[in-house]
Amino acid sequence: MSEAKIKDKAAKGPEAAQEIAALTGNEAVAMAMKQINPDVVAAYPITPATEIVQIFSNYVADGLVDTEYVAVESEHSAMSACIGASAAGARVMTGTSAQGLALMWEMLYIAAGLRLPIVLADVNRALSAPINIHCDHSDTMGARDSGWIQIFSEDAQEAYDNTIQAIRIAEHPDILLPAMVTMDGFIISHGMEVVKVLPDDTVRQFVGTYNPKVKLLDVDTPRTFGPLDFTDFYFEHRRQLAEPIAKAKEVILEIGKEYGKISGRTYGLYEGYKLDDAEYVIVLLGSTAGTAKTVVDDLREAGVKAGLLKIRVFRPFPYDEMAALLAGRKAVGVMDRSDGLAGLGGPLFGELRSALYESKNRPPMKDYVYGLGGRDCGPALIRQVFDELQEIGKTGEVKERFTYLGVRE
């Protein structure tokens, strides 16, 4: 595109300056990584996230980025290499999925504890056993208490946008925490969609240059990283880790608004769809939101006040916002794409019940564990949830607090 054409598009606003592309979710994330141009990517490919690092390695081989690509022999080594590079002062990214994320588990805690702003793309996939390569959120939920910020995506556009924003969020001087951007395996990762892609220069100006305050390679100011920390200081250091988590919501909102100015797409902690006057509300994460919106539209035409609350940021969890949004509804259905195996439904249900515990006007709530291992969740199943919520709304009574949706018993 000529320079004059670029300037003409830019003058017409952020929407006009973007290219329309047909991309899968994996391609969209790889594109975002190319535009970010990180210093280091260390990865061990795993289905369905393989394409992200495969495509990105081609960018490296073709000289389109300045990144040092480190091919390792396992996901544990991938995160270890990321930690070393980030501690040295580099901007670092990686991608993984399922058992790969589980193999990183030990190192996830170290990345957060060392306050290293690594950004990871997690393509949601079921955990073994039995072996399954398809989507659910069990992998991400297993890492929810590791100190990483977690941002969910509904589609390839959000996966692209969230990846770019995650760099700024993680590297914000008040945060300095690792962040993972998730998208549903195969549903988003391999599904081709229309994606609006920002110009390279716009992305690189938005993410800016990473200038770490403390870095391992600053030989003029030697420091100790990862020291032994017994009863004398460990508690204080873990307590300090809670401070940036508490501040993250404000930073995420600030960066979401700033991103809206360059893209026309402003992001918050959640998205409400026909929520303002909704009496019956479904709450969920990820790609099922698109199907749920269609069902909400159909129910609205039939006179049912249905609504959707899609949570974008799971860590830190927006407790206060959820309590304010859900109080007073006739019935709320929570849809968990993972099973907490705690005897009371999935992780999202537990978070929401906690958020609403002190609400004087808390609604009756029921959890639906669905879609494990990639089981399809079409409009008929979501309609089934809304039908049950309407029955609960008539009596206010929830006969069973959680159930399994779409499973053969």
Side-chain angles (χ1 to χ4, degrees):
M1 185 184 298
S2 67
E3 185 175 351
K5 192 173 181 181
I6 292 173
K7 288 181 178 178
D8 180 58
K9 279 195 169 189
K12 293 176 180 176
E15 292 286 342
Q18 296 172 74
E19 293 289 344
I20 305 296
L23 300 175
T24 66
N26 281 344
E27 290 171 340
V29 170
M31 175 66 73
M33 291 173 65
K34 185 185 87 168
Q35 295 179 314
I36 292 165
N37 192 20
D39 298 312
V40 174
V41 168
Y44 184 81
I46 178 172
T47 303
T50 302
E51 275 186 335
I52 294 176
V53 291
Q54 176 186 334
I55 295 168
F56 189 80
S57 68
N58 287 333
Y59 293 146
V60 176
D62 293 341
L64 300 178
V65 292
D66 302 319
T67 307
E68 182 72 26
Y69 183 85
V70 185
V72 292
E73 89 293 355
S74 75
E75 289 87 350
H76 189 281
S77 296
M79 185 49 61
S80 299
C82 287
I83 289 170
S86 184
R91 173 176 279 166
V92 181
M93 302 184 74
T94 187
T96 193
S97 179
Q99 242 67 25
L101 183 63
L103 188 52
M104 290 179 176
W105 193 88
E106 176 190 0
M107 307 311 294
L108 294 179
Y109 281 77
I110 294 173
L114 293 177
R115 306 285 302 275
L116 302 175
I118 300 162
V119 172
L120 180 154
D122 181 51
V123 182
N124 287 123
R125 171 186 145 182
L127 289 172
S128 302
I131 295 174
N132 184 298
I133 62 169
H134 293 281
C135 171
D136 67 42
H137 298 158
S138 304
D139 52 356
T140 303
M141 290 301 161
R144 67 185 183 275
D145 297 330
S146 62
W148 284 60
I149 291 167
Q150 293 185 330
I151 305 174
F152 279 75
S153 311
E154 178 184 334
D155 51 29
Q157 182 70 66
E158 290 193 3
Y160 170 82
D161 293 336
N162 288 338
T163 300
I164 295 168
Q165 291 173 76
I167 293 289
R168 288 281 308 280
I169 294 166
E171 294 177 359
H172 192 285
D174 292 340
I175 305 302
L176 291 177
L177 286 176
M180 63 179 70
V181 173
T182 84
M183 62 176 163
D184 289 354
F186 289 109
I187 300 168
I188 302 176
S189 66
H190 287 66
M192 185 163 287
E193 302 175 42
V194 171
V195 177
K196 294 179 181 177
V197 178
L198 291 160
D200 290 354
D201 291 346
T202 301
V203 174
R204 293 186 182 179
Q205 186 175 5
F206 180 79
V207 299
T209 302
Y210 177 44
N211 295 306
K213 186 176 180 181
V214 177
K215 52 188 176 183
L216 190 64
L217 294 183
D218 182 2
V219 295
D220 295 327
T221 310
R223 300 172 188 269
T224 300
F225 286 73
L228 195 64
D229 204 358
F230 278 153
T231 52
D232 46 1
F233 285 113
Y234 178 85
F235 199 167
E236 283 70 25
H237 285 143
R238 296 303 294 184
R239 174 66 183 87
Q240 288 176 1
L241 189 56
E243 292 299 319
I245 286 285
K247 293 179 181 175
K249 286 197 297 185
E250 181 181 341
V251 171
I252 292 168
L253 290 172
E254 172 190 319
I255 291 172
K257 288 180 182 176
E258 190 177 334
Y259 189 76
K261 294 177 183 176
I262 64 166
S263 67
R265 299 180 293 278
T266 300
Y267 286 87
L269 303 172
Y270 60 86
E271 176 190 343
Y273 185 73
K274 299 189 176 178
L275 189 62
D276 290 346
D277 65 339
E279 296 174 339
Y280 309 102
V281 178
I282 281 181
V283 188
L284 50 70
L285 302 154
S287 64
T288 310
T291 310
K293 289 174 182 174
T294 301
V295 176
V296 167
D297 288 342
D298 291 343
L299 288 171
R300 285 281 176 168
E301 288 185 7
V304 178
K305 290 186 175 180
L308 169 70
L309 178 53
K310 181 188 76 176
I311 296 177
R312 173 180 178 241
V313 179
F314 191 76
R315 282 290 182 272
F317 193 80
Y319 290 101
D320 294 337
E321 292 81 359
M322 293 299 104
L325 285 166
L326 295 177
R329 311 290 179 172
K330 287 188 175 180
V332 172
V334 182
M335 294 184 65
D336 263 296
R337 199 155 199 163
S338 61
D339 189 352
L341 302 175
L344 191 63
L348 180 57
F349 188 53
E351 302 285 354
L352 287 169
R353 284 175 68 87
S354 177
L356 285 156
Y357 178 76
E358 293 173 325
S359 174
K360 295 179 181 177
N361 198 16
R362 62 175 180 264
M365 296 174 62
K366 180 169 180 174
D367 191 34
Y368 299 83
V369 173
Y370 79 102
L372 301 187
R375 179 65 54 86
D376 190 29
C377 182
L381 285 179
I382 295 174
R383 181 67 179 260
Q384 180 183 323
V385 174
F386 274 117
D387 288 346
E388 191 166 350
L389 293 182
Q390 290 176 72
E391 289 300 315
I392 292 172
K394 291 176 183 176
T395 63
E397 181 182 2
V398 182
K399 293 180 180 177
E400 55 178 349
R401 287 177 294 187
F402 82 96
T403 189
Y404 294 90
L405 186 68
V407 68
R408 295 186 296 273
E409 300 284 6

